[in-house]
Amino acid sequence: MITPAFELTQGPDFLTIKIRVPYARASEFDVYFEGEDFKFYAKPYFLRLTLPGRIVEDGREKASYNADEGTFTIQLPKENPGQYFEGLDMLTSLLAPKKSRSAKPLVEEMATAASAELSEDNEEEFDWEVEQIPYEESTPPLQHPYGFGNLRSGVFQRLQDELSDVIDIKDPDQTPAEERRRKRLAAEAAKFEPDHYLADFFEDEAIKHLLKYKPWWIDAHKKMTDLQGESHQEHDSPAFVVFSEEEREQMRKFTNKSYLLDKRSRHHVYLGLIDILLAYCYEICVNEGDKNVESSWNIRKLSATLCWLESFSSIHDVLVSFGRRVLCYPLYRHFELVTRAFNDTVMILQLGKAAVLKCLLDIHKIFMESDPAYILNDLFITDYCIWIQKVKSKKLAALCESLQKTMLSKSHMGLELEELEAAAVLVQEEEKALKAAGTVSKQQLLCSESETSDSEESSSTSSSETEGSDSDEQESSTSEDGEINSFQGTLQEERTAPLIDCNGLRQGTSTSAVEVGDGKSKVSLQSTTPGKLVEELEMQIHSAMRLSEQPEGLATAGCISQEQEENPVPKPDRFSEDAAGKGNFLEVSPKPNPFLFLCSTNEDED
């Protein structure tokens, strides 16, 4: 027979069961219900449910069939109108027959089956904060238990090849619980890297971005809080937690089990649940809800329950272990991520066992898709998914309340985090001080260099201004008379012609420098032939023309060739006499001359 897909909803007076039976004959189906029992048959489908409340047949029941969807919808009246049925989403638990709910073996069921659940409800509350005495293992040396409720042993003897890829402990079957804890602490202390921690502590932009992510349970928790403030009616988490069809299929595939757990084993199971949820919340936060190839590694590496087969004795030990592993192993190692995972776990527990089951189903799927992490499903997660559906809500509420009261700080990690941060801050301050001092010294050096360069620039500027004044005058006069420009071009063309100044020096191929100013005329020539042609100079000096002096007393000398004297060039209007009747400049002949005679400004040398 095939178990069909189904879901249950409820109202104040009715329980509604929706059953999907594609390709079934709607004309041939049977429904039976009485008290807590419900049975449905439509070949080849068969469904038997044990309901969390009593229903009654009083004529108000209804049934309908949707041929397009292939679903039956059956509406059943409650025996006590207004009663709230708890755990309608716990499909695995609903599929279990009523008699199999006993946690005792069949041979003992006659005496204790009726009081099995009652004893669990009436047992004393766990003192979550009290440190308990470690349990002395009485099993043989090669059979140290582990797994869900410490119900397994000898598993890794058959899986030695895959052992290192799943857990960190070697030979767990031969390692007692105390030795596992001691080795785990030593491994964490050896793995801790101060440089990595301080890098994430100071450069936390990426971590701040991750902390802004809001998983689904934040909105669900807000809705629950708002609804509780508006109404005092009892509400279970299914009102805020919705399972997908894939998750419902997962629950239907689980085989219902009963677990023989004593008080100490139940204590370990509850604490292991917190440890697994903390690791899962960290994974969801750092990957922002997306799954990747590292998701399986993150969850099992951060949970000492999964990675070291740890059995905790208090909530504080769980938080310390998780915090240490966050700061030692994953990519992002920041204490704020530990706090965020803690707060998320509290929210999930407050939402109830439906939220816890939804998280466990997601972990189960992640491990199932990761080889060989599926072994952890067989050891822990599958049993947790079945067990949590039968847990009383008040137990989770008490666990959540104790978790909220537990305090965790950096000093509890045992890794000297506060000392590292203080030393790093001190080093940063010293580096800033040295950098500031170096900056001041550099500025002083730059100022002194700039002052020196300014003084040199001012001196060079003054000299250049003195020289530039004459050159400016030359440019102004040259721009006013194009013939002088033609004269300078002639000089450039006749550089190879012998040039003789009035001092008796002959200039060969050297470049001549001519400076002409308003009211001034300075012509200086550099000669490469010192005084050998003095006689020739004396013969030709008589043909030099002396220019008249300017009124300001500044002598302006010019020479013309004998050919200019014989063939004078008419003086343009610009060089006509000024108002005082004094001459200013001599017009230079635009014709190329073989010789150019210059006179000195000293009259005694004429």
Side-chain angles (χ1 to χ4, degrees):
M1 306 299 290
I2 301 175
T3 301
F6 67 97
E7 61 178 318
L8 286 77
T9 58
Q10 63 179 323
D13 301 328
F14 289 93
L15 175 68
T16 302
I17 305 175
K18 188 175 182 179
I19 307 171
R20 187 172 184 272
V21 286
Y23 313 114
R25 297 181 64 179
S27 59
E28 299 180 2
F29 71 95
D30 293 324
V31 177
Y32 168 82
F33 59 94
E34 181 180 2
E36 297 178 352
D37 296 332
F38 174 84
K39 297 177 183 179
F40 172 86
Y41 172 74
K43 189 177 181 179
Y45 299 98
F46 175 75
L47 178 64
R48 180 184 57 202
L49 300 177
T50 301
L51 303 176
R54 295 182 63 85
I55 54 178
V56 63
E57 182 178 359
D58 59 1
R60 294 182 296 165
E61 58 274 6
K62 297 178 182 179
S64 61
Y65 176 72
N66 188 327
D68 295 334
E69 298 179 358
T71 58
F72 277 97
T73 302
I74 303 173
Q75 195 174 45
L76 304 175
K78 294 182 178 179
E79 185 175 276
N80 300 316
Q83 180 185 1
Y84 181 80
F85 287 2
E86 181 181 0
L88 294 181
D89 275 356
M90 308 293 106
L91 304 186
T92 307
S93 177
L94 295 175
L95 288 171
K98 185 175 182 180
K99 292 183 179 180
S100 67
R101 287 191 172 190
S102 172
K104 297 296 182 179
L106 183 60
V107 69
E108 299 179 5
E109 193 172 24
M110 294 177 59
T112 60
S115 60
E117 295 185 11
L118 183 62
S119 62
E120 183 180 354
D121 294 339
N122 295 334
E123 66 183 4
E124 59 180 343
E125 295 294 331
F126 289 130
D127 188 357
W128 304 101
E129 304 300 329
V130 175
E131 187 76 19
Q132 301 186 12
I133 301 174
Y135 176 71
E136 295 295 334
E137 300 287 351
S138 59
T139 56
L142 297 179
Q143 295 296 323
H144 293 290
Y146 42 78
F148 176 84
N150 289 330
L151 298 178
R152 302 292 186 90
S153 62
V155 175
F156 288 100
Q157 290 180 348
R158 304 186 300 270
L159 299 171
Q160 291 295 328
D161 294 338
E162 299 178 347
L163 172 65
S164 59
D165 296 331
V166 179
I167 60 176
D168 288 347
I169 185 174
K170 307 299 181 182
D171 297 329
D173 295 287
Q174 302 179 12
T175 308
E178 289 298 324
E179 187 176 351
R180 295 173 195 166
R181 183 176 298 110
R182 185 167 55 253
K183 290 183 177 180
R184 173 178 64 82
L185 295 175
E188 292 168 357
K191 181 62 177 177
F192 178 69
E193 299 176 3
D195 293 342
H196 194 147
Y197 171 76
L198 292 177
D200 285 354
F201 178 76
F202 288 104
E203 300 176 3
D204 57 351
E205 292 81 6
I207 294 173
K208 289 181 178 178
H209 172 74
L210 295 176
L211 292 174
K212 296 179 181 179
Y213 174 72
K214 294 182 179 181
W216 61 266
W217 52 77
I218 292 182
D219 293 336
H221 186 269
K222 185 177 183 302
K223 293 178 181 178
M224 183 190 71
T225 304
D226 296 341
L227 188 60
Q228 286 178 348
E230 297 175 359
S231 174
H232 298 288
Q233 184 180 358
E234 182 182 3
H235 288 277
D236 195 18
S237 55
F240 318 103
V241 179
V242 179
F243 291 101
S244 65
E245 182 57 34
E246 183 181 4
E247 291 167 340
R248 293 178 182 276
E249 183 63 25
Q250 283 182 275
M251 287 187 279
R252 287 192 291 267
K253 289 181 179 180
F254 291 144
T255 301
N256 184 71
K257 296 180 182 180
S258 297
Y259 300 95
L260 293 172
L261 301 175
D262 58 10
K263 180 179 179 181
R264 180 177 178 80
S265 297
R266 286 196 299 271
H267 192 72
H268 289 161
V269 168
Y270 279 112
L271 297 180
L273 176 64
I274 294 176
D275 187 41
I276 295 172
L277 289 178
L278 286 169
Y280 175 73
C281 291
Y282 175 92
E283 152 64 22
I284 294 298
C285 179
V286 297
N287 287 320
E288 298 180 281
D290 296 330
K291 309 298 189 303
N292 55 40
V293 294
E294 297 295 332
S295 297
S296 173
W297 186 92
N298 279 337
I299 296 174
R300 69 174 186 260
K301 200 71 173 181
L302 299 182
S303 171
T305 300
L306 302 177
C307 195
W308 282 87
L309 307 179
E310 181 69 82
S311 296
F312 294 103
S313 57
S314 68
I315 293 179
H316 187 264
D317 288 346
V318 176
L319 297 179
V320 171
S321 171
F322 172 73
R324 286 169 60 92
R325 300 189 72 79
V326 167
L327 300 179
C328 291
Y329 291 100
L331 175 62
Y332 298 108
R333 306 177 186 179
H334 200 282
F335 193 77
E336 287 295 327
L337 294 174
V338 179
T339 305
R340 171 64 185 271
F342 172 82
N343 295 331
D344 287 350
T345 302
V346 171
M347 289 185 186
I348 292 172
L349 291 174
Q350 288 177 340
L351 284 169
K353 60 184 180 181
V356 176
L357 177 58
K358 189 176 181 69
C359 296
L360 291 173
L361 291 173
D362 197 16
I363 298 172
H364 188 278
K365 180 182 177 182
I366 293 173
F367 285 168
M368 188 60 66
E369 296 173 352
S370 176
D371 187 19
Y374 67 88
I375 298 173
L376 297 176
N377 280 342
D378 296 337
L379 288 175
F380 293 97
I381 307 303
T382 300
D383 293 327
Y384 267 112
C385 290
I386 299 172
W387 168 81
I388 194 64
Q389 299 183 50
K390 303 177 182 180
V391 172
K392 299 298 181 181
S393 298
K394 64 179 182 179
K395 295 293 183 181
L396 286 182
L399 179 64
C400 179
E401 184 178 356
S402 299
L403 180 61
Q404 283 182 292
K405 295 178 180 178
T406 306
M407 303 300 296
L408 183 68
S409 64
K410 295 180 180 179
S411 60
H412 296 150
M413 300 293 101
L415 300 174
E416 299 181 350
L417 301 180
E418 296 174 339
E419 292 80 358
L420 282 173
E421 294 173 5
V425 171
L426 182 61
V427 170
Q428 275 194 339
E429 292 177 353
E430 291 178 355
E431 289 179 352
K432 290 180 180 179
L434 292 175
K435 185 176 181 181
T439 303
V440 173
S441 301
K442 186 175 182 180
Q443 290 178 351
Q444 292 177 352
L445 179 61
L446 291 175
C447 291
S448 61
E449 291 178 354
S450 62
E451 290 176 358
T452 305
S453 61
D454 290 343
S455 60
E456 294 176 356
E457 183 178 356
S458 60
S459 61
S460 63
T461 303
S462 60
S463 62
S464 63
E465 286 177 354
T466 305
E467 297 176 356
S469 61
D470 295 337
S471 62
D472 293 341
E473 292 171 356
Q474 178 186 0
E475 292 176 359
S476 62
S477 61
T478 304
S479 62
E480 292 175 359
D481 191 353
E483 293 184 0
I484 293 181
N485 290 332
S486 65
F487 165 67
Q488 292 180 351
T490 302
L491 290 179
Q492 294 294 333
E493 295 173 359
E494 300 294 336
R495 284 194 176 196
T496 56
L499 300 179
I500 303 173
D501 60 12
C502 298
N503 292 324
L505 299 178
R506 180 179 179 181
Q507 181 175 350
T509 58
S510 61
T511 304
S512 62
V514 180
E515 297 182 2
V516 182
D518 187 11
K520 297 181 182 179
S521 177
K522 182 187 293 184
V523 181
S524 61
L525 300 173
Q526 295 179 354
S527 177
T528 57
T529 55
K532 288 185 180 182
L533 302 177
V534 175
E535 296 179 359
E536 182 181 355
L537 176 63
E538 290 177 353
M539 292 174 63
Q540 295 178 359
I541 198 172
H542 297 289
S543 63
M545 176 179 290
R546 180 179 180 183
L547 298 177
S548 60
E549 296 182 355
Q550 295 194 18
E552 292 81 5
L554 297 177
T556 303
C559 294
I560 59 173
S561 63
Q562 187 174 2
E563 183 180 355
Q564 280 180 313
E565 193 174 19
E566 294 175 356
N567 300 315
V569 179
K571 181 164 64 175
D573 295 340
R574 179 178 179 276
F575 292 99
S576 61
E577 295 182 355
D578 56 8
K582 301 293 184 179
N584 288 333
F585 291 96
L586 176 66
E587 174 63 27
V588 183
S589 172
K591 298 179 180 180
N593 299 316
F595 294 96
L596 177 64
F597 300 97
L598 305 175
C599 294
S600 174
T601 57
N602 190 353
E603 295 179 359
D604 296 335
E605 295 180 0
D606 287 341

